[in-house]
Structure formats: C-alpha cells, structure tokens
Amino acid sequence: MKRRELLRGALAAGLTGEALTALTDTHTSFDQTLATHPADLSDLEAAAESYGYHGQAPARVLADLVTDFADIRPLLGIPQPVATRVRLCPAAGQMAGMTAIVLHDLGSRREARARFSTAAHAAGESGGRHCTHGCWPARRWRG
C-alpha cells in the first residue's frame, strides 16, 4: 500500500527522477519474478549434468552441489512458466540425487535418504522417472 501511495504521489508531481526510479524498480522486480533467464537455466542444467566426484574429495563436491542446489531453490519458489519449471525440476533432482550419493558414501545414510526423496519428488514434478543418466530414482530410495 505504501508503494502505491508513493508511486501515485511521485507521478502526480510529474515524471521526476523519483517517479521514474519507482517505475523502473517495479518493472525490474516484476521481470525478475516472471521467469528465469534462459542463460541462467542453461548454466544450472549444465552444472547438474557435470557432477561426479571420481578422483575428487567428496566433501568438496558436496560443497559445490549444495551451492548450486541453493541457486535453484529460489527459482522454484516463484511463479515460472511451465517450460522453465519443467527444466528446473530435473536439474534440482539431479543435484539432489548426486548429493544423496555423496552423503551415502560419506556414511550419512539418513541425510542421503532425505536427498533421494527430494530427487524423486523433483522427478515427479517434471513428469520424468529419472535423469538422463539414471542417477536418481522416481521411487523412494531404500538404502
């Protein structure tokens, strides 16, 4: 409500710098809420496809996975076009599945089960049964 009043007052006074700034901020905020940029989405998909830790320290891979996975979370929390969401969910699922594998290998089986469950949920959201590499199941994992 305050934003509306501020904008109305600024516009009533003419298209001043303050009014234009308010219009620009509103427009930018709306654009960011509508959709993820295709380049960002492609980067996240590429990151999801690239994970593996043969020859790498599992803790380092886990840290990278958690960082990339955290980048996807806010994108799924805002309205997205269906085509974008269908691309985000498999990327999230692949990262959750790989996180589960690393956690399992580190002996954190309870945490691994939770991540496999997240991966399965993401598969259901995207309509798929598994990632392109078969690394995460669409059914509940029982490790």
Side-chain angles (χ1 to χ4, degrees):
M1 192 67 168
K2 289 181 182 182
R3 179 180 227 164
R4 182 178 295 171
E5 291 170 9
L6 174 68
L7 189 56
R8 282 182 183 162
L11 289 173
L15 287 178
T16 63
E18 186 177 321
L20 289 174
T21 299
L23 284 170
T24 300
D25 290 347
T26 300
H27 181 77
T28 302
S29 173
F30 187 78
D31 280 348
Q32 289 173 346
T33 301
L34 277 179
T36 304
H37 297 285
D40 296 338
L41 188 52
S42 294
D43 287 344
L44 289 170
E45 288 172 322
E49 289 287 332
S50 71
Y51 277 107
Y53 72 98
H54 303 291
Q56 296 182 44
R60 181 183 169 121
V61 174
L62 186 60
D64 290 343
L65 276 163
V66 170
T67 300
D68 284 338
F69 191 73
D71 290 342
I72 292 178
R73 169 60 188 97
L75 299 174
L76 288 170
I78 58 175
Q80 296 283 356
V82 172
T84 300
R85 190 166 178 90
V86 166
R87 289 176 64 189
L88 282 170
C89 285
Q94 285 177 264
M95 287 183 197
M98 189 63 197
T99 300
I101 291 167
V102 175
L103 286 168
H104 181 271
D105 290 351
L106 290 171
S108 298
R109 290 196 166 89
R110 181 180 301 260
E111 289 296 319
R113 283 194 306 269
R115 298 313 175 274
F116 275 122
S117 179
T118 300
H121 188 118
E125 285 286 314
S126 66
R129 294 192 48 78
H130 52 77
C131 77
T132 57
H133 302 297
C135 63
W136 47 280
R139 59 179 165 66
R140 183 158 176 81
W141 182 75
R142 301 179 198 279

